[in-house]
Amino acid sequence: GEDVEQSLFLSVREGDSSVINCTYTDSSSTYLYWYKQEPGAGLQLLTYIFSNMDMKQDQRLTVLLNKKDKHLSLRIADTQTGDSAIYFCAEMEGGGNTGKLIFGQGTTLQVKP
Amino acid sequence: DAGVIQSPRHEVTEMGQEVTLRCKPISGHDYLFWYRQTMMRGLELLIYFNNNVPIDDSGMPEDRFSAKMPNASFSTLKIQPSEPRDSAVYFCASAPPAQGGNTGELFFGEGSRLTVL
């Protein structure tokens, strides 16, 4: 079945860039997503990328997609303490718009002042 | 809209007791998902509904778990009897109809933290 994998932990200093990496298996995924979970809260969509794109920039966030290697990354520029959270990579199962997202294990980002 | 509403936010119960978790999706959304989050397994999809009909319940761990969606604005996840290994945060999420322009975003509730002693 489909699988999404991420590293579990990343620690950076405030002001540095953070790069969170993800690999996925379903090559038919139409969209790939990054969700953010703050302590004690549910997940919220941070950004997404359409599968025919290789890059998307949104303010401090840059998403890079390498479809050949099935690799997705999220770069956060000028990381702030408020960016400390768990970041989940996700793909839509079976492509199209089935409604069923498969999530990675989540990467805990720790930002040190 | 108030977003996806889940209740209770926290529940502590004893092994063997019945637990019912509730969810109100965002009005107009026709997809509803139940996820479970634990440290060991991360975020697991238990079941999801489309237009109140269960589409995929392959993630439901065992017969002790059941989920219903009697109407478009309400769903329950029931565990009977509960066991300590069911302790987790249970999330409900909803999504709008799958049609052109819909990116497949899920809208999550704040979760129900269940502790089974």
Side-chain angles (χ1 to χ4, degrees):
Chain A
E2 289 81 0
D3 194 23
V4 178
E5 299 213 348
Q6 305 175 234
S7 53
L8 296 181
F9 186 77
L10 176 66
S11 180
V12 300
R13 292 223 170 267
E14 192 173 19
D16 287 350
S17 291
S18 307
V19 180
I20 301 171
N21 295 300
C22 167
T23 57
Y24 61 96
T25 56
D26 189 348
S27 59
S28 65
S29 294
T30 307
Y31 291 99
L32 293 143
Y33 307 85
W34 285 103
Y35 279 77
K36 179 182 180 183
Q37 184 182 28
E38 296 187 353
L43 281 70
Q44 282 193 304
L45 182 66
L46 197 58
T47 187
Y48 66 91
I49 188 166
F50 191 50
S51 59
N52 69 352
M53 299 169 66
D54 53 20
M55 187 180 89
K56 179 180 180 181
Q57 189 145 3
D58 183 1
Q59 300 183 334
R60 292 190 297 120
L61 306 178
T62 303
V63 178
L64 296 178
L65 174 60
N66 181 329
K67 282 195 76 174
K68 174 175 168 290
D69 295 337
K70 295 179 188 170
H71 182 266
L72 184 73
S73 68
L74 173 70
R75 180 176 179 270
I76 305 173
D78 187 25
T79 313
Q80 302 298 305
T81 53
D83 295 324
S84 294
I86 305 175
Y87 291 81
F88 291 89
C89 172
E91 62 173 350
M92 182 76 75
E93 182 183 79
N97 213 340
T98 62
K100 183 177 176 181
L101 290 191
I102 307 299
F103 286 89
Q105 312 96 301
T107 300
T108 297
L109 175 64
Q110 179 189 65
V111 182
K112 297 178 181 176
Chain B
D1 201 311
V4 175
I5 299 172
Q6 292 188 245
S7 66
R9 289 295 313 277
H10 302 273
E11 171 124 1
V12 180
T13 190
E14 292 189 343
M15 183 172 65
Q17 297 297 304
E18 179 179 292
V19 172
T20 300
L21 307 178
R22 298 172 177 80
C23 175
K24 181 181 186 321
I26 293 173
S27 177
H29 284 188
D30 64 356
Y31 282 94
L32 185 139
F33 304 80
W34 283 101
Y35 282 89
R36 176 171 71 175
Q37 186 178 36
T38 60
M39 289 290 291
M40 291 296 294
R41 294 184 165 175
L43 203 60
E44 302 173 277
L45 176 64
L46 301 177
I47 185 172
Y48 80 97
F49 296 82
N50 182 223
N51 291 318
N52 313 338
V53 176
I55 303 300
D56 185 347
D57 64 356
S58 59
M60 295 286 262
E62 45 197 279
D63 291 346
R64 298 184 297 107
F65 285 70
S66 61
K68 293 182 179 179
M69 192 163 187
N71 57 62
S73 58
F74 184 66
S75 177
T76 59
L77 177 67
K78 189 173 291 189
I79 309 171
Q80 166 63 19
S82 59
E83 297 182 2
R85 61 193 167 119
D86 301 331
S87 297
V89 181
Y90 290 82
F91 287 103
C92 177
S94 68
Q99 58 196 25
N102 177 7
T103 60
E105 178 182 359
L106 299 190
F107 294 78
F108 281 79
E110 295 196 321
S112 293
R113 181 175 293 275
L114 173 65
T115 303
V116 183
L117 303 174

